[in-house]
Amino acid sequence: LAIVLGANAYGKAECRVVRIVRNGARHEIRDRNVSTSLHGDFAAAHIEGDQARVLPTDTQKNTVYAFAKDLPEAEPEELALALARHFVTAVAPVAGARVAVEEYAWDRATVGGAPHDHTFLRRGQEVRTTHVTVDDRGGEWVVSGFDGLVLLKSTGSEFRGFLEDGYTTLQPTDDRIMATSLDVRWRHLTATAWASSYDGIRTLLVERYAEVHSRALQQTLWEMGRAVLEQHEDVAEIRLSAPNRHHFVVDLAPFGRDNANEVFFAADRPYGLICATVRRDDVPCAEIAWDAWPPRAAGGSPDGR
Amino acid sequence: LAIVLGANAYGKAECRVVRIVRNGARHEIRDRNVSTSLHGDFAAAHIEGDQARVLPTDTQKNTVYAFAKDLPEAEPEELALALARHFVTAVAPVAGARVAVEEYAWDRATVGGAPHDHTFLRRGQEVRTTHVTVDDRGGEWVVSGFDGLVLLKSTGSEFRGFLEDGYTTLQPTDDRIMATSLDVRWRHLTATAWASSYDGIRTLLVERYAEVHSRALQQTLWEMGRAVLEQHEDVAEIRLSAPNRHHFVVDLAPFGRDNANEVFFAADRPYGLICATVRRDDVPCAEIAWDAWPPRAAGGSPDGR
Amino acid sequence: LAIVLGANAYGKAECRVVRIVRNGARHEIRDRNVSTSLHGDFAAAHIEGDQARVLPTDTQKNTVYAFAKDLPEAEPEELALALARHFVTAVAPVAGARVAVEEYAWDRATVGGAPHDHTFLRRGQEVRTTHVTVDDRGGEWVVSGFDGLVLLKSTGSEFRGFLEDGYTTLQPTDDRIMATSLDVRWRHLTATAWASSYDGIRTLLVERYAEVHSRALQQTLWEMGRAVLEQHEDVAEIRLSAPNRHHFVVDLAPFGRDNANEVFFAADRPYGLICATVRRDDVPCAEIAWDAWPPRAAGGSPDGR
Amino acid sequence: LAIVLGANAYGKAECRVVRIVRNGARHEIRDRNVSTSLHGDFAAAHIEGDQARVLPTDTQKNTVYAFAKDLPEAEPEELALALARHFVTAVAPVAGARVAVEEYAWDRATVGGAPHDHTFLRRGQEVRTTHVTVDDRGGEWVVSGFDGLVLLKSTGSEFRGFLEDGYTTLQPTDDRIMATSLDVRWRHLTATAWASSYDGIRTLLVERYAEVHSRALQQTLWEMGRAVLEQHEDVAEIRLSAPNRHHFVVDLAPFGRDNANEVFFAADRPYGLICATVRRDDVPCAEIAWDAWPPRAAGGSPDGR
């Protein structure tokens, strides 16, 4: 019974690169976390310990920094494509490359009412993401998205008429808080104006979250995804992952107070987790493109903290 | 040789309370994390296991939720004062109470260009903080502040002329990135318009960070603190804690590229840590008021993750 | 151009359940984090907001707690199988269920040299994992594993003879620290004695990590995986994900000291990330079984901290 | 009204240093996180931006690595004392130095039933801590301790007879789970055999936690602290901080099952937080020594994650 090497990949995860564009006194900042992953014929490295075909992960890191220098104006998608194409083209043993970019947003500081030339404040918690896959047969997949957009609506959400069984104790409600921390990915069919596409899709998702009277989180996700596909022809499919951050109405009756959806306990765990894909009927799925493979480990801290 | 009970306190940490103010269709949201801590004569609870003088932490939690109901418009400082005064006044064994409030900011979602009535987005990473101490002899201390305001300036910062010894290898520089994640606390001498005071101090701190040409982070902190005390007479002292988030210029020479402060590696650890207090000459320090004692534990996750 | 609902699933994530087995004075503890995920025909919930086929995630949580009561001696694999079979069998709209269990290990406290009856200490950082998938056509997949086994060898590891290009600056080494935080998953072909199987595989992985003179992390992973498949016939394939936690030799020459692999800087980021699968030649891959889908969100803290 | 510089300090936080002691084939590992903090006359650095008296934090980092080389066998207390004395003695402007060490424990890997020479597994979650303060008037304070020792007893704990007011809803109980994640610090009056002292105190604390029938967490902390002071004459005082990690009995009655303290929900937040000091009657408190000042920031990740 033969034992064989299966799927494998390797790369450098979490290269933290800050690019300052110094066009005169007014600087721009690009703050990114870049991860690379290569696959190809690396059997000898595994089975014989022969590194002759292995480009070190340290070299991949150097390449990330050199490309950041060369491409000062690149959107994350462009930087990721340039890097992935380079590895597939210039490094013989590489059959495919995946590059993931997280981008952290900064606002200009306001000083005396005006935006400052070279001082910036980190904006928000959400992270813009890009996952690009390039193979040596001409395939290219670009997935854009974000992680951690935290949304809450204080009304306009209900949950009732659900299936019940012997383990059901939940009461139906026609007015509740609906809150989530959205992770979204969408796959592009063609190149586009990446920055304005990103801004447009993010705005649309927020608007639909606000406007749809929600009979369940599932319905809201569907309406959000559908709107994106209707208005963005270059998007083949979109995936939404939404933890349901439960806000429970606190019982104040023992203390002689009513509570008409005014005071809530925001719970940590457990939480509902709702995931949905919205896609075009005539476009095949592309599993390869959704995430850089292998998934990144949980963090770089050697202390486990 | 007698062994005795020393300083002690107990309370409920991290009551997560979301308060929705429903004045008609346009809702307001107050999202807070409230911790209480009581001290007094609790020797019997420790030494004899007698709980007769111990108000359960569960009761303290209930009180937080009830007060959140009663005080819909309260600023964090007002909520904390009300709770602390209650515990000192209404619970006989309590000689002192400290209440800490973290407030998480939300922006209204923009829908069709207009702010939405009941949908909100979490803003930023920074957390507004309040630490209030009240004792049964009429003492009240209010400390306002924030944690995690992340700032970066891409020029206007130098570090040279420093002391050198046999372990020094650092090269002086006259142009570097200066970045930090500011934690700041300031102590009020009197009550004030808490919300506008907070906004004014935060704006001033950002402006001074931007405008001061920095010869060291120490100098910048001093100038930031001094400006606050000059413009806010009700502030007795201010404490700033600033990790120096090092951004190292990447050497691109091996790859045939120069790097004139354009491409940086953002390092995680170690980091410099600079702390400074700026205070009025004629105002005594008040150690008691700076933080809720005891310090909060590292987090509520029972898995240690 | 039709827009359609694609893959979707929903469930309750991170039900923290502690099960105490009280057989007389000597208690046992089972400390787990259980996540459920259901898929099936939930189109109406998305497209029409009709919940008639949706079993609430709250009900799924209740079911987890009830099964924890009923199955005091169950290994994580058995608990997950029981839950997944229940959802597929008893809930009509459910076509497939995935259940993930994380198990946290506790040791008995030692008191006077003897193990204590009812006091326990959390052991280690690593987490035992189970991912079970059951569908309504009789398919069952069981994946066991662990996350976060932190290993370090201070010698017996080299890295040289690697591919070089114009971005390569790394020097080869024949003696380095090799450290990682292992995440491993293995898929069973048949039911087995889950607890002893887990212990045996974990021991074998540690032994091979220690004993293999490593010419690269790839080689070590291959040897670890191969050993498991050779000795455990019920294992179809094994996947190893290993961040390379770099330990850099500190240059002490400027301070008049040599450093023969004695003093290291343990870096946080970036890190190499090496992933490999070892499998049997004649066993088809089973993508469905490797992880509960959808992936869990990054954590339950509503503050994003 | 004069505005003046108040308390200030600066240093290098979280120098991650791994020291391998290579006495022949059998290696030892010392894995530490060292933070330094200096205070003295640094007014010119703040007010004039003059760095002439400022030893860079980069130099402090270098010193940590050099001392790690020189002191291969040092316990954390000894390393911290050596560093703090050096800064006070050798760097003229320094009036006081505080050094904090976190130590991460590793076990030898077991291979073929025997401990391996050079392969190690990270043990547990708890972190051994040391905080040392040295001033230029001959003062030296040594505080030892640990963070994150997670303990649970499944019986032998009650909570009843407590004070009730109008906000009290808690029911008394005579049998509950008591769980915590202990942070403990103790101050030494004299030098001692640091390693065996640490082991002895940790063992004693665990034993008392197990053996004391607890009428409240306060009582357990008192008994733990008292035992340490009775058996360790060199300990002047001990501080214990114990979050009460609530485990709630799940109501299984709706599903036709009883639950005699068998199935618990382990809650995240809020949690009780109990802190107590036990000290000798005739020993003055020493506020200076308990923690390195300034407190460390929340972490080194520039992404705020």
Side-chain angles (χ1 to χ4, degrees), chain A residues 18 20 22 27 65 69-70 112 118 120 122 150 152-154 175 207 257-258 262 264 269 303, chain B residues 18 20 22 27 69-70 112 118 120 122 150 152-154 175 207 257-258 262 264-265 269 303:
Chain A
V18 171
I20 304 293
R22 302 166 72 106
H27 294 186
Y65 284 103
K69 162 71 178 175
D70 293 353
H118 60 257
F120 305 90
R122 262 297 301 273
V150 179
L152 178 149
K153 56 193 299 182
S154 50
D175 191 6
E207 288 185 339
R257 293 159 172 95
D258 65 354
E262 294 176 296
F264 296 86
R269 297 189 293 182
D303 320 325
Chain B
V18 172
I20 304 293
R22 302 165 72 107
H27 294 185
K69 164 70 180 175
D70 294 350
H118 59 258
F120 304 89
R122 259 298 300 274
V150 180
L152 178 151
K153 55 193 298 184
S154 52
D175 191 7
E207 289 185 339
R257 292 159 172 96
D258 64 355
E262 294 176 296
F264 295 86
F265 165 61
R269 295 190 294 181
D303 321 322

Side-chain angles (χ1 to χ4, degrees), chain A residues 33-103:
Chain A
N33 196 20
V34 181
S35 298
T36 62
S37 181
L38 308 181
H39 57 105
D41 179 7
F42 301 117
H46 291 83
I47 295 167
E48 295 151 40
D50 176 358
Q51 308 306 316
R53 300 169 67 84
V54 172
L55 189 74
T57 66
D58 186 77
T59 300
Q60 298 176 39
K61 176 200 71 180
N62 289 342
T63 311
V64 168
Y65 284 103
F67 276 56
K69 162 71 178 175
D70 293 353
L71 299 169
E73 306 292 349
E75 289 297 311
E77 290 86 354
E78 293 164 330
L79 176 63
L81 276 168
L83 281 163
R85 288 168 183 161
H86 164 78
F87 290 124
V88 169
T89 306
V91 185
V94 174
R98 299 187 188 174
V99 177
V101 181
E102 295 182 333
E103 182 164 277

Side-chain angles (χ1 to χ4, degrees), chain B residues 73-86:
Chain B
E73 307 292 349
E75 289 297 310
E77 289 85 354
E78 293 163 331
L79 177 63
L81 276 167
L83 282 162
R85 288 168 184 162
H86 164 78

Side-chain angles (χ1 to χ4, degrees), chain B residues 17 46 83 95 109 128 134-135 138 155 170-171 176 191 196 200 202 224 241 244 247 257 267 278 289 295:
Chain B
V17 55
H46 291 83
L83 282 162
R128 178 175 167 185
V134 171
D135 69 27
T155 189
L170 187 72
Q171 295 302 307
R176 61 170 185 173
S196 62
R202 184 186 175 283
M224 293 166 78
S241 173
N244 193 344
H247 286 67
R257 292 159 172 96
V278 183

